[in-house]
Amino acid sequence: MKTLLFALAACCPLATVCAAIQDFAGYPQFMPNVDKIKVTPAGGGASCSLAWKRVPMEGVKVEDTIADTSGYWQLLPDPLDAGAAAVKYQVYTDSGPVPMGLDWIVDSMSRDSIPKMFDALRLRVAARK
């Protein structure tokens, strides 16, 4: 089981970043393999939070995939820049029963894919400015 936390400061307003993340139809462009999203609205637009959880993939046996994955996005006003957003992304992954010594593959995939996802998010946000 691994929990990874990533954070960045976005150089644009919280509402712009939140709109890019809430563009669910566009998720395949920067977050592949997402089937279901639950949005938890925050009062007053002062923050934005989205939580997600893995759902079984049709046609894939439970024993042929990871045991569990879930996570969330949290956006808050950047305390150092009133016109920007502070973005936090956390992911929890339980690779389940993998052959001894091979769980490093899950770590490697997460550490490689999440920075790429953030880069793609930056491009999506920049296009909305």
Side-chain angles (χ1 to χ4, degrees), residues 43-56:
S47 66
C48 174
S49 299
L50 293 91
W52 58 270
K53 181 163 179 55
R54 181 189 72 83
V55 295

Side-chain angles (χ1 to χ4, degrees), residues 24-39:
F24 306 125
Y27 263 50
Q29 297 169 8
F30 77 108
M31 281 191 74
N33 304 317
V34 173
D35 292 328
K36 182 179 178 181
I37 299 207
K38 177 184 174 185
V39 178

Side-chain angles (χ1 to χ4, degrees), residues 75-99:
L75 285 67
L76 298 167
D78 188 329
L80 302 176
D81 183 350
V87 181
K88 183 166 100 172
Y89 176 76
Q90 181 169 313
V91 60
Y92 161 81
T93 303
D94 179 356
S95 55
V98 293

